[in-house]
Amino acid sequence: MTIDPFLVAVGLIGNRELTDELLNEVLSLLPRVAPELTDAEIIAIRRQLESSIGVSMSVGQGLHDGEIAPWLGEIKASLNWNYWDAYAKQLKSKNFGQAVIRVLDEDTDNILNECGNPAEKTPWQSKGLVMGDVQSGKTANYCGLISKAADTGYMVIVLLTGMIEDLRSQSQERLDEGFVGRDSRQLLDNVQTNRVIGAGRFRDQVPNVLTSIDSDFLRSNHRAIGGIPLVNIREPVLLVMKKNKSPLSNLVSFIDSQLRGGARLDLPLLLIDDEADNASVNGKKDEDPATINKLIRDLIGRFSRSSYVGYTATPFANVFINPDIDDLFPSNFVYSLNTPTNYLGVASFFSDSPTHGHCVQDIEDAESLLPYSHRKDHPFSDLPQSLWNAVRVFLLSCAIRDLRDESMKHRSMLVNASRFTDVQGRIANAIKAKLYELAEDIKQYLSSDERWGQQARLEDLHQLWLEHYSDCGFNWDEIRAVLYESISTVAVVTVNQKSDDSERLNYAQYASSRFGRRIIAVGGLTLSRGLTLEGLCVSYFYRNSKAYDTLLQMGRWFGYRPGYDDLCRLWIDPLAATWYNHLSKVVDELRYDIRRMHANGLPPSKFGMRVKSHPDALIITALSKMRNADDVQVAISYSGFGAETPLLPDDILRNQSNLQKTSKFLKGLLPPTLVGKRLIWQGINKKDIANFLEDLEILDINAHFLRDHVTKTKPLLDFIGRSEFANLSEWDICLPQGEGDGLESICLQDVDGAAHKIQPRKRQFEKVRKGSGFLRLNKQRVGDASDELVGLDDEDRKTAEHDWELARSGDPKLGASIPGYFYRRFRRRPLLTIHVIEPSESSEKNRKKMMQLMDIKPETLVAIGISFPQFDGEAASVVYTLNKVALRGAGLLIEGEDDNDEDED
């Protein structure tokens, strides 16, 4: 009998909390039961344990209207949970941690409790929305909800997926495994078989299916239930359907044939609308709804008892649905799911303190070969160097993951650089051509100890390994020994509406293959919503989509990367990275609003949903979906607020002027105190701060420094000068000293009489497009967390550190390092940090960026950071887009009037 070391480790850990000490102890015991284990295999087991058992998660929160009384608790103990218990066992067999299964159990209980009781015979209807994150496990959640719905008596279960067959088929495949327990193709064709899959291994019950992996709902599909009327069936009926007119019309007609003279079918319906913001939301006038929206409403109306549950990671369009008519507004409940600690979301890559910021690589060279604005006949001829780098890094990652002996054999790369299928085809062909040449060199030369270094392509590949993966746990000789075998099955496919069967993802067909499915998927819209790229490791994203929901859905790199998150890489335009940074804050605010309303016990009908607008380029969702919303200036507080200016002028005269103004301002102050490498001024009057900042040339494109187009003032600077709060009347100023040469133009004497020439900080800059009019600091960060310590005494600092440890104990996602914003909570006075900066030329990697900067000759630049303490009071305004509920609550929408009934331009 073969011993599985991983299962042995799981047994040794048992129900104990996974800690580093326990993990080290267990791993040290494994060689005793499996002496043949190598160090690399033990490392792989560690990664697997950390990504499964060592994961924590918290239960979601929601709003509900109380119209449907809680019912599940009264009957829970009396039910046989056949479908749910089997699904839970299936998840456990796939190494889902006990904590994650426990939270899934509680979340699905909470959601099901908001749906109607299927045993209640009087008519009822429930409409709700479940909000998750992109690629965060919403499928696992609604599969659990479907299982519990079947156990409690729901008899017709419809899952609506996206608008493409690939996504519908993928969803059906997952439901076959998690709920049906059989191959839906065999059930639909009435093929007698004893073969069970997934959850079917743990139970005897088999639901009815009227769709399959190969077939959406056709008029003839009802033959699968042998002509038995729906009201006479014993096990629930499942349909997994696209949101297209034909299958939805077929289903409505089929339900009509079951009515037998009645107005509505007397069976409980659970309709789950995956990607509920896509196609389902009415983009037309209320009295003349769009086809898909109307068909969904018609389907719900055919049942006397029905629950509609929308699932989405981008609920922006859903919350703007008119709540005053019989549409799909989530009037009964809104539920926000949390993600486990091993989930990589938008904040992981793009927040101000990203945990995986190292994964993000800049695209600086694509515009000339593949401009953002191009037509479908664009003559794409060669790959941008950044794209070719991404492809080769993907090849290297395949070899490393094979050496780690991952259980996941599929390997995927995403290329999303054009919305046109013709251009996607040209990109794929160009990748195929270069990949063929490289693969031939790898096959012929790379395993040779003598000759590989003489081949330019292979030497370049080696340099990429040094740059990205030299710390992966394997040396170059080990990589090159397995590389050809690891990449020999890599296929370049286009995934779009024109793709034939040979170009589809087809992961299931490669499940038993030694290497799984290994693809470089080139696409656009089809790759942008719902589809999961199994084992996705490298992504190349060069798109200028401007809608919040579209951008988030395009982020297929969000999700779970167990055991290989350190290898993931994302190539992206730095400008698009700033959009995602904004979105991370938008999503956080939206979740905060839900938590706030949950704490106040308010229902969705009272939920004034607001979504922060972008000050420049982005829109929230399609304008047709926002006809029931409006932009409003909303008062916000600057309490505990921080802002920086990472975007600086690219004009030498403007920068010289800023330096002169800074010198004049500082020399007009009393002498500073030198603390470490920082010059500190204390007790500076707010009027002096406001006058200096107003005089300084701060670009409007810096977030929070935007000039109001009505008042022509900058609200933040205006607030600094006029605020009446006692603890904002005097400021601290900090000027950090860097490693640059001292500036003759700014020489200051400290309180002890010592002279200090200001030494600029050396900073790296990102490349920007020619003619942009600004320079952009690397990662759009000016200072660092230690700057926030200025003005805090030892007691404040210790209190902050103690509170951070408490916060970490309640949220395992928080790291050991205290972020700057957390120190800000303990500040006594506001702080102005003046950063005198010079471009750094410290690394060869950034040489080209620096050459571009030197062409502009920025010389010395001035950036600033502002940090407010906490105080009571509302102070300034920001633009939010509000739904009707929020507009009404703000007194901006008069009952009986509708100011949005004109056709859009």
Side-chain angles (χ1 to χ4, degrees):
M1 179 179 176
T2 303
I3 297 176
D4 187 334
F6 174 75
L7 295 180
V8 171
V10 171
L12 290 172
I13 292 169
N15 293 323
R16 292 180 289 176
E17 180 183 356
L18 190 69
T19 64
D20 285 339
E21 292 77 11
L22 177 59
L23 191 56
N24 291 333
E25 175 190 339
V26 169
L27 293 174
S28 68
L29 297 174
L30 290 185
R32 300 184 186 180
V33 296
E36 72 282 358
L37 278 177
T38 65
D39 290 344
E41 289 170 334
I42 292 177
I43 291 173
I45 293 172
R46 171 187 282 272
R47 290 181 179 277
Q48 195 173 358
L49 290 169
E50 289 173 335
S51 63
S52 54
I53 297 176
V55 173
S56 59
M57 189 177 179
S58 57
V59 176
Q61 295 172 315
L63 323 174
H64 64 99
D65 68 347
E67 186 174 316
I68 294 178
W71 56 272
L72 187 58
E74 296 179 3
I75 64 172
K76 188 171 184 179
S78 64
L79 292 178
N80 292 319
W81 294 94
N82 298 310
Y83 285 102
W84 164 254
D85 287 346
Y87 179 56
K89 290 176 181 176
Q90 158 68 4
L91 293 180
K92 192 171 183 179
S93 73
K94 295 177 67 176
N95 296 328
F96 273 61
Q98 190 65 34
V100 175
I101 296 175
R102 177 187 59 78
V103 171
L104 177 63
D105 188 10
E106 193 169 343
D107 277 334
T108 48
D109 271 3
N110 292 340
I111 297 168
L112 185 60
N113 214 26
E114 300 293 348
C115 301
N117 182 354
E120 176 62 53
K121 294 300 182 181
T122 57
W124 49 259
Q125 187 178 89
S126 174
K127 293 177 182 174
L129 181 71
V130 178
M131 175 183 171
D133 285 280
V134 177
Q135 301 276 96
S136 66
K138 295 185 297 299
T139 303
N141 186 278
Y142 66 62
C143 190
L145 180 63
I146 287 172
S147 299
K148 288 185 175 180
D151 285 324
T152 55
Y154 277 87
M155 298 308 296
V156 179
I157 300 171
V158 178
L159 170 62
L160 300 181
T161 64
M163 302 181 68
I164 59 174
E165 180 59 24
D166 272 341
L167 178 54
R168 192 211 65 81
S169 178
Q170 187 180 81
S171 300
Q172 178 80 61
E173 183 182 337
R174 293 184 177 181
L175 266 293
D176 282 3
E177 181 182 37
F179 174 63
V180 180
R182 302 289 195 279
D183 186 327
S184 55
R185 291 168 291 198
Q186 294 177 335
L187 292 179
L188 189 61
D189 293 336
N190 285 311
V191 175
Q192 299 300 316
T193 177
N194 294 323
R195 181 176 177 267
V196 295
I197 60 174
R201 295 173 295 160
F202 306 106
R203 57 168 160 77
D204 297 325
Q205 291 80 2
V206 182
N208 301 285
V209 292
L210 297 185
T211 56
S212 75
I213 292 175
D214 295 336
S215 175
D216 203 336
F217 186 69
L218 306 174
R219 292 181 183 272
S220 60
N221 283 20
H222 63 82
R223 69 182 185 277
I225 55 176
I228 301 174
L230 287 177
V231 293
N232 293 337
I233 59 174
R234 293 188 175 184
E235 295 294 334
V237 173
L238 173 70
L239 301 97
V240 181
M241 303 170 57
K242 292 192 299 293
K243 284 186 268 193
N244 287 359
K245 178 181 178 180
S246 178
L248 282 169
S249 298
N250 290 341
L251 180 56
V252 171
S253 296
F254 172 62
I255 299 302
D256 284 342
S257 72
Q258 299 284 312
L259 294 180
R260 299 179 180 273
R264 291 184 291 181
L265 191 62
D266 188 25
L267 285 175
L269 164 73
L270 173 62
L271 192 155
I272 292 179
D273 187 356
D274 194 14
E275 308 292 343
D277 61 307
N278 184 32
S280 305
V281 177
N282 184 24
K284 294 185 177 181
K285 291 188 176 182
D286 296 334
E287 64 272 15
D288 182 26
T291 300
I292 303 303
N293 176 268
K294 182 178 184 302
L295 285 168
I296 294 174
R297 287 197 244 172
D298 288 347
L299 178 59
I300 294 171
R302 296 300 197 273
F303 290 80
S304 62
R305 293 168 286 162
S306 64
S307 290
Y308 169 87
V309 184
Y311 276 77
T312 182
T314 49
F316 310 116
N318 302 84
V319 302
F320 295 137
I321 296 173
N322 187 351
D324 301 331
I325 65 171
D326 184 22
D327 200 341
L328 301 179
F329 181 80
S331 53
N332 295 92
F333 69 92
V334 175
Y335 196 85
S336 176
L337 299 171
N338 291 321
T339 56
T341 50
N342 60 340
Y343 172 74
L344 302 181
V346 61
S348 305
F349 297 96
F350 300 110
S351 67
D352 291 339
S353 301
T355 59
H356 285 67
H358 65 280
C359 296
V360 180
Q361 309 291 310
D362 293 343
I363 297 176
E364 303 170 342
D365 58 351
E367 188 64 18
S368 60
L369 292 170
L370 190 62
Y372 267 153
S373 299
H374 63 265
R375 303 176 65 86
K376 67 178 182 180
D377 58 354
H378 179 69
F380 185 79
S381 56
D382 195 11
L383 300 180
Q385 187 63 37
S386 56
L387 177 50
W388 181 228
N389 286 348
V391 170
R392 291 180 291 173
V393 167
F394 171 64
L395 302 182
L396 292 169
S397 73
C398 289
I400 296 169
R401 294 170 67 184
D402 283 349
L403 286 169
R404 289 179 177 178
D405 196 24
E406 283 185 18
S407 57
M408 162 65 78
K409 297 300 182 184
H410 301 312
R411 312 275 190 261
S412 299
M413 175 183 175
L414 162 70
V415 179
N416 190 341
S418 176
R419 65 189 180 96
F420 297 112
T421 57
D422 290 350
V423 179
Q424 292 164 18
R426 296 186 194 106
I427 294 173
N429 287 334
I431 293 174
K432 288 177 183 178
K434 293 179 76 75
L435 186 58
Y436 177 80
E437 294 175 346
L438 177 60
E440 286 298 301
D441 278 0
I442 292 172
K443 178 181 179 181
Q444 186 170 355
Y445 299 111
L446 194 57
S447 61
S448 168
D449 290 335
E450 298 83 15
R451 294 188 294 168
W452 74 265
Q454 302 171 15
Q455 308 301 317
R457 294 189 187 96
L458 301 184
E459 178 55 35
D460 289 345
L461 191 65
H462 180 229
Q463 291 301 316
L464 282 172
W465 174 79
L466 288 172
E467 181 179 343
H468 289 273
Y469 295 145
S470 58
D471 59 351
C472 68
F474 302 97
N475 61 43
W476 176 244
D477 288 340
E478 291 172 298
I479 300 294
R480 64 189 182 88
V482 302
L483 185 58
Y484 181 71
E485 185 178 45
S486 294
I487 70 168
S488 60
T489 61
V490 170
V492 182
V493 302
T494 55
V495 183
N496 54 47
Q497 301 273 20
K498 293 184 178 180
S499 301
D500 57 30
D501 289 340
S502 65
E503 292 275 88
R504 297 195 181 280
L505 298 176
N506 291 332
Y507 290 110
Q509 293 184 13
Y510 294 81
S512 59
S513 168
R514 177 188 168 195
F515 292 105
R517 180 72 155 142
R518 305 199 169 186
I519 58 170
I520 298 172
V522 183
L525 178 63
T526 302
L527 285 177
S528 299
R529 183 178 282 273
L531 273 180
T532 297
L533 293 170
E534 301 286 353
L536 178 64
C537 188
V538 175
S539 301
Y540 188 89
F541 181 77
Y542 194 70
R543 295 289 299 276
N544 66 341
S545 297
K546 299 296 179 64
Y548 289 12
D549 44 14
T550 304
L551 278 170
L552 283 173
Q553 291 291 351
M554 284 180 169
R556 297 292 97 193
W557 51 86
F558 303 134
Y560 303 97
R561 307 289 176 253
Y564 66 96
D565 62 317
D566 61 316
L567 305 180
C568 291
R569 294 294 182 269
L570 164 63
W571 270 262
I572 190 170
D573 185 337
L575 179 59
T578 68
W579 299 342
Y580 280 107
N581 177 268
H582 172 78
L583 287 177
S584 72
K585 298 177 175 66
V586 169
V587 172
D588 283 348
E589 281 200 11
L590 197 57
R591 292 188 178 280
Y592 172 77
D593 277 351
I594 292 176
R595 289 196 298 270
R596 174 173 54 84
M597 301 297 285
H598 171 80
N600 292 325
L602 295 177
S605 60
K606 299 294 185 183
F607 186 24
M609 189 78 79
R610 62 181 193 174
V611 181
K612 181 187 288 186
S613 299
H614 188 270
D616 184 18
L618 303 184
I619 63 172
I620 294 173
T621 188
L623 298 179
S624 61
K625 298 177 183 178
M626 294 196 294
R627 60 173 66 249
N628 294 301
D630 205 351
D631 285 347
V632 175
Q633 294 280 339
V634 178
I636 63 169
S637 173
Y638 284 125
S639 176
F641 172 83
E644 294 182 325
T645 58
L647 304 177
L648 304 173
D650 67 354
D651 179 82
I652 188 172
L653 296 178
R654 297 161 81 186
N655 286 308
Q656 287 176 343
S657 174
N658 276 345
L659 192 62
Q660 291 168 1
K661 292 171 181 176
T662 300
S663 176
K664 180 180 178 181
F665 172 63
L666 296 177
K667 288 178 179 178
L669 303 176
L670 293 174
T673 301
L674 181 66
V675 181
K677 295 196 68 175
R678 290 178 170 90
L679 293 170
I680 308 294
W681 292 260
Q682 294 181 319
I684 308 303
N685 187 277
K686 66 181 181 182
K687 295 289 186 183
D688 295 330
I689 300 292
N691 290 337
F692 167 63
L693 293 177
E694 189 62 49
D695 193 35
L696 205 65
E697 186 154 5
I698 298 175
L699 298 183
D700 287 2
I701 55 176
N702 283 286
H704 313 300
F705 292 89
L706 185 68
R707 192 176 297 276
D708 188 289
H709 69 280
V710 177
T711 65
K712 306 302 181 185
T713 63
K714 294 185 176 182
L716 173 57
L717 304 189
D718 185 51
F719 167 73
I720 291 172
R722 66 174 176 77
S723 66
E724 299 298 330
F725 301 101
N727 61 338
L728 302 185
S729 61
E730 292 186 343
W731 285 58
D732 293 337
I733 298 177
C734 167
L735 197 157
Q737 291 278 56
E739 62 278 9
D741 296 333
L743 298 177
E744 297 290 342
S745 59
I746 308 183
C747 184
L748 304 170
Q749 281 191 336
D750 66 21
V751 291
D752 296 323
H756 300 276
K757 291 181 181 178
I758 299 304
Q759 295 174 271
R761 278 182 163 180
K762 294 286 188 179
R763 292 295 308 274
Q764 295 178 2
F765 285 72
E766 297 177 356
K767 185 176 180 180
V768 296
R769 293 191 183 88
K770 188 175 183 179
S772 296
F774 61 85
L775 303 172
R776 179 166 52 218
L777 282 165
N778 191 42
K779 306 301 181 186
Q780 297 211 62
R781 293 306 311 274
V782 178
D784 55 45
S786 65
D787 292 332
E788 291 285 357
L789 286 167
V790 173
L792 270 65
D793 58 28
D794 288 343
E795 183 178 347
D796 292 333
R797 180 180 55 78
K798 290 178 180 177
T799 303
E801 292 169 352
H802 176 263
D803 284 11
W804 181 252
E805 288 304 315
L806 289 177
R808 288 184 66 203
S809 66
D811 186 352
K813 287 185 179 180
L814 300 178
S817 299
I818 304 179
Y821 75 82
F822 200 83
Y823 284 123
R824 197 179 301 140
R825 302 172 58 207
F826 303 90
R827 181 166 298 291
R828 307 293 177 90
R829 290 192 296 266
L831 172 70
L832 169 66
T833 305
I834 300 174
H835 303 269
V836 180
I837 293 170
E838 287 182 354
S840 168
E841 295 181 86
S842 58
S843 70
E844 179 63 24
K845 177 182 177 181
N846 290 284
R847 185 177 61 83
K848 291 184 178 179
K849 292 182 185 178
M850 295 306 110
M851 286 178 63
Q852 183 219 30
L853 291 170
M854 291 307 174
D855 287 342
I856 301 173
K857 293 184 175 63
E859 294 188 347
T860 307
L861 306 96
V862 176
I864 59 104
I866 292 174
S867 183
F868 285 99
Q870 291 189 332
F871 57 90
D872 295 326
E874 298 290 325
S877 63
V878 65
V879 177
Y880 284 82
T881 301
L882 276 64
N883 67 357
K884 266 197 169 184
V885 175
L887 291 170
R888 187 177 292 119
L892 300 173
L893 184 66
I894 302 173
E895 297 296 342
E897 293 186 0
D898 187 351
D899 58 355
N900 284 299
D901 54 0
E902 292 186 6
D903 288 333
E904 294 177 355
D905 292 338

